[in-house]
Amino acid sequence: MLKMKPISTYIRLLLITAVTLFCFQNDIFSQEEEVVPPERPGFYFGFSGGPIQTDIYNAITLNGSEIFYTKQNSYSGSVEFGYYFSRFFGFSSGIDFNSYKALLTLDTYQNNNITTDSEKESYEQQVTGSGISEMQKADFISLPFSIIIRIPLGKTLGIFLQPGVNIAKPVNNSYSSSGSFTYKGYYPAYNVLLENLPAYGFPVGKSTTAEGTMELSPFNFNAVASAGIDFMIHKKVLFGVAACYSRSLTGISDNASPDTFILSPGVDQINSLMGGTASATTEAIGIKAILRIYLK
């Protein structure tokens, strides 16, 4: 199966393209007199999208065990509209879709908690785990607001910076986890430790998989920015390529009691690691193609 190249490779290609277009713009746009945009381009609508590399950071440490994060390849896309006040400044909004993924791994896990067995008798459950991994996925629809600062490099070519913020709403999320767990039960009333008794809920090294959904906040805010090059391919059509970055300004988790989080409350059960934090955040870096059509 083919693997997506790292996003940094695409960004390097973007920089090389920018330099090439700048150096040879007279040759590339030999008919540029026919496609010069007006000084006040006015309203436009357009589309953009491309590959991104994402992370979902869960601010949690379990009994001193560190969680490791691996960024995942994903994608984003948008339908946008806006207004250029001049060839130098504009405003943009629209609807964005961003799909975030992250792989979380935990080498070891240990937790003791008081619970009851099938006969309602209280005991201390001792849980240890190893080789734990979790894939988290979360899709968001967002409403962006950004400004466009454009510097012309010629009659058709330009570079731009587009910072802004967006309001994002989760529309889908899931997690899938796996690991190996050992369960023991200490009964203080009898001073007895039960272990290696799988029929009674105390297995050793049991391989477990689980999946479910995470509790996410109904809305969150993100800082977004993109920078790149654009050029007119027609007097009313602009094409661009940009590097883009986004990071959540508010936590996406909506867990009411992260302090009481238990990763595996019982045999064949694994809760999402996001349940142990109230301040999970997202981050993405990527590259996108942009097509804008002037309505004037």
Side-chain angles (χ1 to χ4, degrees):
M1 184 174 65
L2 293 176
K3 295 184 177 180
M4 184 181 291
K5 294 181 180 180
I7 296 299
S8 58
T9 300
Y10 293 101
I11 294 176
R12 285 196 294 268
L13 289 174
L14 172 61
L15 294 175
I16 293 172
T17 303
V19 173
T20 302
L21 287 173
F22 177 69
C23 293
F24 299 101
Q25 59 177 309
N26 289 333
D27 295 331
I28 294 174
F29 303 110
S30 57
Q31 314 237 339
E32 62 180 9
E33 313 305 319
E34 302 178 4
V35 296
V36 174
E39 289 298 320
R40 293 177 59 83
F43 289 100
Y44 75 87
F45 75 92
F47 310 90
S48 66
I52 56 176
Q53 205 167 58
T54 65
D55 201 358
I56 303 175
Y57 179 68
N58 297 241
I60 176 176
T61 300
L62 298 177
N63 298 89
S65 297
E66 184 179 0
I67 297 176
F68 298 92
Y69 302 85
T70 303
K71 296 179 183 294
Q72 299 294 298
N73 292 321
S74 193
Y75 58 93
S76 68
S78 67
V79 177
E80 63 172 334
F81 60 87
Y83 184 81
Y84 273 95
F85 302 99
S86 69
R87 294 180 63 193
F88 304 95
F89 298 101
F91 167 82
S92 176
S93 187
I95 299 177
D96 291 351
F97 176 84
N98 293 279
S99 182
Y100 291 88
K101 300 178 184 178
L103 177 63
L104 289 65
T105 56
L106 185 65
D107 290 337
T108 60
Y109 171 77
Q110 182 176 351
N111 185 71
N112 298 342
N113 66 286
I114 303 300
T115 186
T116 57
D117 59 20
S118 59
E119 298 180 356
K120 306 300 181 183
E121 191 163 0
S122 178
Y123 74 98
E124 181 185 67
Q125 183 189 59
Q126 302 175 2
V127 183
T128 57
S130 62
I132 301 161
S133 65
E134 178 177 321
M135 177 68 77
Q136 295 182 350
K137 301 178 182 180
D139 297 334
F140 292 86
I141 292 289
S142 60
L143 180 64
F145 300 93
S146 61
I147 60 173
I148 305 169
I149 304 169
R150 186 177 186 272
I151 302 174
L153 299 179
K155 293 182 179 180
T156 58
L157 182 66
I159 60 175
F160 69 91
L161 175 65
Q162 186 170 335
V165 296
N166 69 33
I167 305 172
K169 177 178 177 58
V171 293
N172 184 49
N173 81 84
S174 65
Y175 77 91
S176 56
S177 302
S178 63
S180 179
F181 293 89
T182 294
Y183 304 84
K184 300 179 183 180
Y186 174 68
Y187 287 78
Y190 310 106
N191 194 26
V192 172
L193 180 66
L194 301 183
E195 58 183 317
N196 198 18
L197 296 169
Y200 294 92
F202 304 113
V204 175
K206 180 173 175 52
S207 295
T208 304
T209 59
E211 58 184 26
T213 58
M214 302 172 289
E215 295 183 33
L216 301 183
S217 299
F219 295 97
N220 65 284
F221 294 87
N222 301 299
V224 296
S226 60
I229 57 172
D230 61 32
F231 56 91
M232 302 297 297
I233 59 178
H234 184 271
K235 63 181 180 179
K236 289 188 177 182
V237 181
L238 178 144
F239 177 78
V241 183
C244 54
Y245 175 81
S246 69
R247 183 178 180 86
S248 55
L249 299 173
T250 56
I252 67 169
S253 176
D254 195 30
N255 296 291
S257 53
D259 295 338
T260 61
F261 173 73
I262 299 174
L263 180 61
S264 180
V267 178
D268 294 324
Q269 299 179 49
I270 309 178
N271 290 324
S272 172
L273 288 165
M274 191 177 289
T277 179
S279 59
T281 55
T282 60
E283 185 178 40
I285 184 171
I287 190 168
K288 63 181 179 180
I290 302 167
L291 182 66
R292 290 174 179 159
I293 301 172
Y294 294 113
L295 301 179
K296 184 174 180 179

